[in-house]
């Protein structure tokens, strides 16, 4: 694999999306701190502040957290737009609290740095810049317009405008410095991860090519002698048989097929020299067959449904993707009662693969954490006695590294069974395949294949 091949791969960038669970846990921590601070100032120190409005702002943040917990599983990864929106909400909510409690005179105003730092470590620079602008705008607004700083007694402290401007400048400089520093540190970590992933891919491909070379050499050695014997016998038969006899056509076909076998062996022997050849590319149907094929002997029939316009998507052979799909199919076979359905759909924008079984499905507590490693707390045992730990985690990681977004769910009632849906952008699915020549759009196809 060349360096250009490596750079065209996404190399795990899909996997860097923020986990929703991370933001939710951080927000719960912020809610606890805000509640303790407001209650401590109001009841502990006896300072006057708009207690009801402060706890209303805190309650809104709590309601958002509860809604996110109900709507999404713990392992859900946020797209950059959704993560930016949630972090922007945190900035606005904190700004409302600062407006109610003295603006930038409040020492807790330094917490406006937190959402921008989180963004700098996990989101693109453009998103971080947007959040920085929102934080600066919020800081400016609460500097100009705010309720008095909570205090006891009639003599409230008065901070001169120059001090407040200095606090604003310090906050803006802090946003810039910490944001750039956090982004640089995270970028170095990402670059190191990319280098390790690239090395892993190169080693895996070299090992694969070495195995193919060995297999091709063994096949050429083992099949060369029988083919030579068959060719010699066919030649003798052609010499002895009458040219216009009944066997002439059959003998000619035999000699033609022998030459074809020799040609195939020649291609296998030169596999490394012709950039992989046709054996290094898989159509979507062949990808499914190669991943699911080892599970056919276990007695559970497969139903493969292909929906889309010809030609079907073609990807370069990826052992990680094949292993990931095979692991999910294996899981479906283990828990299926009578059948496993594999549905492949594609259009110009995306490729979607759905693997469903008619078994008991995911228990609710397992569904929330499906795909997480070390899921061995007993809940994983409830699905027909199987485990949903490292195997499914590795499969999910390999597929996400290949550009797939993965969703775990149960089939809607009255049907029963688990459903795993994988979605690729078509350009990511076909990222290593050279573009084909112009083709006419062919009508949509829909066909089913049983086992």
């Amino acid at each position: 694999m060349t360096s250009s091949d490596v750079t065209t791969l996404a190399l795990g960038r899909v996997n860097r999306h923020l986990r929703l669970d991370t933001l939710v846990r951080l927000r719960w921590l912020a809610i606890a701190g805000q509640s303790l601070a407001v209650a401590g100032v109001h009841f502990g120190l006896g300072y006057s502040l708009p207690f009801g409005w402060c706890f209303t702002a805190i309650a809104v943040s709590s309601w958002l957290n509860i809604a996110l917990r109900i709507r999404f599983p713990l392992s859900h990864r946020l797209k950059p737009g959704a993560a930016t929106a949630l972090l922007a909400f945190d900035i606005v909510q904190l700004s409302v609290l600062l407006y109610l409690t003295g603006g930038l005179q409040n020492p807790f105003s330094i917490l406006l740095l937190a959402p921008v730092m989180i963004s700098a470590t996990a989101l693109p620079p453009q998103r971080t810049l947007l959040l920085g602008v929102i934080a600066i705008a919020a800081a400016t607004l609460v500097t100009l317009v705010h309720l008095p700083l909570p205090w006891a007694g009639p003599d409230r402290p008065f901070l001169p405008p120059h001090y407040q401007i200095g606090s604003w400048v310090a906050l803006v400089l802090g946003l810039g410095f910490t944001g750039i520093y956090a982004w640089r540190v995270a970028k170095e970590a990402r670059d190191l991860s990319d280098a390790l992933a690239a090395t892993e891919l190169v080693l895996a491909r070299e090992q694969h090519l070495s195995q193919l070379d060995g297999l091709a050499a063994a096949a050429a050695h083992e099949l060369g002698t029988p083919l030579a014997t068959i060719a010699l016998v066919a030649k003798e038969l052609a010499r002895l048989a009458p040219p216009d006899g009944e066997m002439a056509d059959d003998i000619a076909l035999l000699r033609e097929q022998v030459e074809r076998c020799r040609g195939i062996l020649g291609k296998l022997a030169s596999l490394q020299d012709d950039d992989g050849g046709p054996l290094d590319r898989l159509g979507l149907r062949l990808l499914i067959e190669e991943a699911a094929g080892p599970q056919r002997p276990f007695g559970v029939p497969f139903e493969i449904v292909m929906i889309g316009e010809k030609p079907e998507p073609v990807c370069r052979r990826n052992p990680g993707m094949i292993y990931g799909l095979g692991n999910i199919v294996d899981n479906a076979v283990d828990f299926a009662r009578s059948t496993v359905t594999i549905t492949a759909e594609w259009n110009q924008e995306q490729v979607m693969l759905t693997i469903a079984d008619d078994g008991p499905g995911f228990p609710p507590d397992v569904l929330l954490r499906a795909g997480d490693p070390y899921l061995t707390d007993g809940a994983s045992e409830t699905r027909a006695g199987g485990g949903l730990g490292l195997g499914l985690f590795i499969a999910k990681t390999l597929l996400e590294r290949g550009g797939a977004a993965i969703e775990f769910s149960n089939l809607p009632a009255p049907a029963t069974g688990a459903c795993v849906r994988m979605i690729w952008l078509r350009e990511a699915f076909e990222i290593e395949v050279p573009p084909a020549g112009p083709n006419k759009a062919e009508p949509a196809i829909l066909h089913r294949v049983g086992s």
Side-chain angles (χ1 to χ4, degrees):
M1 178 181 289
T2 65
S3 60
S4 60
D5 293 329
V6 174
T7 55
T8 54
L9 294 174
L11 289 180
R13 283 183 169 82
V14 178
N15 229 8
R16 292 176 187 149
H17 292 170
L18 268 174
R19 281 168 55 101
L20 176 64
D21 184 54
T22 301
L23 290 185
V24 169
R25 288 177 182 272
L26 289 174
R27 188 176 292 112
W28 280 127
L29 183 62
I31 290 170
Q34 292 168 1
S35 302
L36 183 61
V38 171
V41 169
H42 185 71
F43 296 108
L45 300 178
Y47 290 179
S48 176
L49 53 75
F51 183 79
W53 285 110
C54 289
F55 263 91
T56 299
I58 297 173
V60 170
S61 188
S62 302
W63 294 334
L64 175 61
N65 255 12
I66 293 172
L68 291 173
R69 285 291 198 194
I70 295 174
R71 175 63 179 84
F72 298 102
L74 298 179
S75 59
H76 180 72
R77 292 189 179 272
L78 296 167
K79 294 182 178 179
T84 303
L86 290 176
L87 292 172
F89 168 83
D90 293 333
I91 294 174
V92 172
Q93 189 260 359
L94 180 58
S95 301
V96 170
L97 286 176
L98 292 176
Y99 163 78
L100 296 170
T101 56
L104 288 193
Q105 300 178 50
N106 189 323
F108 289 102
S109 60
I110 193 68
L111 293 177
L112 283 173
L113 297 174
V116 180
M117 288 187 62
I118 294 172
S119 173
T121 60
L123 297 181
Q126 299 85 347
R127 304 283 181 174
T128 303
L129 180 62
L130 175 62
L131 289 171
V133 170
I134 294 174
I136 292 173
T140 304
L141 186 61
V142 298
T143 300
L144 300 174
V145 182
H146 58 265
L147 297 181
L149 185 70
W151 206 260
D155 298 328
R156 295 178 181 272
F158 174 76
L159 299 178
H162 291 84
Y163 180 85
Q164 298 186 51
I165 293 174
S167 297
W168 180 88
V169 172
L171 182 62
V172 171
L173 292 177
L175 283 170
F177 176 78
T178 57
I180 293 174
Y181 177 78
W183 175 76
R184 285 296 307 173
V185 171
K187 184 177 183 300
E188 291 176 3
R190 287 193 292 264
D191 290 344
L192 178 60
S193 175
D194 284 352
L196 292 174
T199 303
E200 178 186 348
L201 289 174
V202 170
L203 291 176
R205 183 165 176 80
E206 289 300 322
Q207 181 183 9
H208 184 59
L209 287 175
S210 299
Q211 291 172 348
L212 286 178
D213 289 343
L215 180 61
H221 176 74
E222 295 295 332
L223 295 177
T225 301
L227 279 176
T229 303
I230 295 172
L232 179 62
V233 172
K235 183 177 179 180
E236 289 297 319
L237 289 175
R239 186 177 63 82
L240 296 175
D244 54 351
E246 296 181 357
M247 302 291 293
D249 291 341
D250 292 336
I251 294 173
L253 178 61
L254 178 62
R255 298 185 66 183
E256 177 185 338
Q257 294 303 311
V258 168
E259 292 302 319
R260 184 180 176 188
C261 289
R262 284 177 170 173
I264 293 173
L265 287 180
K267 288 182 179 180
L268 287 174
S270 61
L271 184 61
Q272 192 171 11
D273 299 329
D274 62 358
D275 195 26
L279 296 182
D280 202 31
R281 289 168 173 78
L282 288 176
L284 182 57
R285 170 68 183 283
L286 289 177
L287 175 66
I288 297 172
E289 289 287 354
E290 184 159 342
Q295 306 303 324
R296 289 191 182 278
F298 293 98
V300 177
F302 290 94
E303 184 180 25
I304 301 177
V305 182
M306 309 288 290
I307 305 174
E309 293 184 348
K310 289 185 177 179
E312 70 181 48
V314 177
C315 67
R316 195 175 285 270
R317 183 185 297 275
N318 184 332
M321 185 182 296
I322 295 172
Y323 172 83
L325 290 175
N327 186 280
I328 294 175
V329 173
D330 179 35
N331 193 60
V333 169
D334 285 343
F335 302 125
R337 293 191 178 97
S338 60
T339 186
V340 172
T341 303
I342 305 175
T343 304
E345 302 176 63
W346 68 91
N347 53 36
Q348 296 299 322
E349 289 77 31
Q350 65 182 23
V351 177
M352 183 166 66
L353 193 61
T354 304
I355 300 174
D357 61 67
D358 59 352
F362 294 106
D365 52 344
V366 171
L367 186 59
L368 289 174
R369 300 172 58 191
D372 284 356
Y374 303 109
L375 181 54
T376 57
D377 57 0
S380 60
E381 304 296 330
T382 61
R383 196 169 177 235
L388 292 174
L390 281 176
L392 191 59
F393 167 72
I394 293 172
K396 181 173 180 285
T397 302
L398 291 173
L399 290 168
E400 286 180 339
R401 178 179 294 177
I406 304 179
E407 302 173 359
F408 298 92
S409 62
N410 288 325
L411 295 175
T416 61
C419 176
V420 181
R421 180 173 288 108
M422 292 144 282
I423 302 174
W424 292 264
L425 291 177
R426 184 151 183 169
E427 60 184 10
F429 186 83
E430 298 181 317
I431 194 167
E432 285 195 347
V433 179
N439 290 318
K440 281 188 175 182
E442 300 188 33
I445 60 171
L446 169 58
H447 57 274
R448 296 171 180 265
V449 182
S451 62

